[in-house]
């Protein structure tokens, strides 16, 4: 039986696509299966870093690679009200707290701690504002100090109870939402953060298989908890290997030398770039 899944490729238009994105997009298309739905979503919520010229280049490069997606292209900035509504649900259920810390303040706090909690991507938020005296918190709110909204992950996990999610290759996984600590759900600038937005998006778009790089594996654990708190059924997840450069380092957006643009300008064909992108990763997701 042909697979008929709904998948989405969701790049953030903060740079040109490189070989890693090409691999990810092709992987995503394959995961939908021959009769499946392959959606394209521009994760453009971070308006400070996203640029219209990168959006145009992404669409152009993907079409050049031979990918065809269902129209219309979706974009996160069309759905801010839905994210805000989801955040309000979490706030009302008491699993979110205001965080007044600056990046610098957090770094200083971590440096002061004898053993700061760490996750797969480095030090976690040390929980400074979770432990804030309620009077002090009220004073800061009344004074109009800017704040982010963070998930109280321990409390949320307690309410969510034991959770599992399905990895397409490895099967049932126990959710470990604590891996990333008290993540930001609402940013100081007003938009919701990555985690909450994609959980709402993938549900809203009816995505049945979420494909993404292994660098986002820890995020899936927190997404599972957010789904439980919001009463959302989880999709299946496929985490693909990352495309590495010659030195074994993961390609970053600024890797201009391996941007699809650069290969196009150098005269490579779409088939050649697809082969380069597909040949690089080891293992399968
Ligand atoms: N927009 C995210 C990124 O560019 C991917 C979304 C996801 O797979 O969760 O990294």
């Amino acid at each position: 039986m042909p697979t008929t899944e709904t998948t989405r490729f969701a790049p953030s238009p903060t740079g040109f696509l490189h070989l890693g994105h090409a691999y990810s997009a092709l992987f995503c298309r394959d995961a939908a299966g021959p009769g499946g739905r392959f959606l394209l979503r521009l994760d453009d919520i971070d308006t400070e870093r996203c640029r219209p010229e990168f959006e145009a280049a992404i669409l152009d490069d993907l079409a050049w690679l031979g990918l065809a997606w269902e129209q219309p292209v979706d974009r996160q900035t069309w759905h801010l009200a839905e994210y805000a509504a989801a955040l309000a649900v979490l706030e009302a259920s008491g699993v979110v707290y205001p965080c007044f810390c600056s990046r610098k303040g957090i770094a200083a706090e971590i440096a002061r701690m004898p053993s700061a909690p760490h996750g797969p991507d480095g030090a976690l938020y040390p929980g400074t504002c979770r432990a804030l005296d309620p009077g002090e918190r009220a004073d800061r709110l009344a004074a109009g100090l800017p704040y982010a909204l963070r998930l109280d992950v321990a409390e949320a996990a307690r309410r969510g109870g034991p959770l599992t999610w399905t990895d397409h290759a490895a099967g049932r996984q126990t959710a470990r939402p604590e891996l990333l600590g008290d993540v930001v759900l609402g940013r100081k600038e007003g938009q919701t953060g990555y985690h909450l937005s994609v959980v709402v998006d993938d549900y809203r778009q009816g995505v049945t298989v979420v494909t993404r790089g292994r660098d986002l594996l820890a995020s899936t654990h927190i997404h599972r908890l957010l789904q439980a708190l919001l009463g959302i059924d989880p999709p299946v997840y496929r985490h693909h290997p990352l495309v590495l450069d010659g030195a074994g380092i993961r390609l970053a957006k600024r890797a201009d030398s391996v941007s699809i643009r650069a290969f196009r300008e150098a005269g490579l064909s779409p088939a050649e770039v697809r082969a380069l992108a597909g040949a690089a990763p080891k293992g399968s997701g």
Side-chain angles (χ1 to χ4, degrees):
M1 259 214 349
T3 2
T4 50
E5 302 290 358
T6 300
T7 63
R8 74 349 182 231
F9 180 55
S12 301
T14 55
F16 293 116
L17 296 187
H18 56 60
L19 280 185
H21 295 106
Y23 175 72
S24 192
L26 293 162
F27 183 94
C28 185
R29 176 66 197 94
D30 280 355
R37 299 176 62 205
F38 172 57
L39 312 178
L40 179 60
R41 185 179 77 221
L42 294 169
D43 279 1
D44 62 347
I45 201 165
D46 185 351
T47 46
E48 277 162 38
R49 294 173 57 227
C50 294
R51 301 263 177 279
E53 58 269 31
F54 293 136
E55 272 185 35
I58 286 172
L59 302 185
D60 190 51
D61 285 345
L62 291 174
W64 180 83
L65 280 167
L67 284 159
W69 52 89
E70 194 175 294
Q71 297 292 342
V73 175
D74 200 2
R75 57 173 65 239
Q76 289 190 318
T77 45
W78 288 342
H79 302 283
L80 302 182
E82 287 143 277
Y83 310 142
L87 185 52
V89 168
L90 299 178
E91 249 191 298
S93 69
V95 293
V96 165
Y97 63 88
C99 171
F100 304 92
C101 296
S102 62
R103 266 175 215 273
K104 258 189 170 168
I106 295 172
E109 177 74 17
I110 289 169
R112 267 196 300 273
M113 295 172 81
S115 60
H118 273 67
D121 300 327
L124 301 180
Y125 176 65
T128 322
C129 286
R130 178 173 13 89
L132 210 57
D133 169 74
E136 173 66 21
R137 180 179 292 157
D139 286 350
R140 291 191 193 183
L141 289 172
L145 294 186
Y147 61 89
L149 287 170
R150 285 186 183 271
L151 181 69
D152 180 342
V153 74
E155 177 58 20
R158 201 184 57 75
R159 302 221 195 154
L163 295 168
T164 60
W165 56 272
T166 304
D167 179 281
H168 179 264
R172 201 154 76 135
Q173 306 291 306
T174 299
R176 296 176 56 207
E178 71 286 357
L179 280 177
L180 294 180
D182 287 359
V183 292
V184 169
L185 299 183
R187 300 180 51 189
K188 272 189 185 161
E189 297 78 16
Q191 322 93 313
T192 44
Y194 159 73
H195 299 292
L196 186 58
S197 313
V198 296
V199 163
V200 171
D201 286 332
D202 291 336
Y203 169 66
R204 171 178 74 65
Q205 294 188 284
V207 173
T208 58
V209 179
V210 168
T211 65
R212 54 165 74 126
R214 286 195 186 144
D215 54 328
L216 291 173
L217 181 57
S219 297
T220 298
H221 290 268
I222 195 85
H223 296 183
R224 180 64 191 96
L225 175 58
L226 294 177
Q227 287 153 354
L229 296 171
L230 294 168
I232 291 176
D233 282 339
V236 167
Y237 288 88
R238 292 184 71 165
H239 298 94
H240 60 71
L242 303 176
V243 177
L244 307 178
D245 69 10
I249 313 270
R250 169 160 91 86
L251 301 183
K253 278 234 174 65
R254 272 172 223 90
D256 293 334
S257 57
V258 289
S259 73
I260 311 300
R261 292 277 98 173
F263 288 117
R264 289 175 68 171
E265 279 157 22
L268 269 73
S269 71
E272 284 167 327
V273 173
R274 282 200 303 270
L276 275 179
K282 304 272 181 289
S284 66

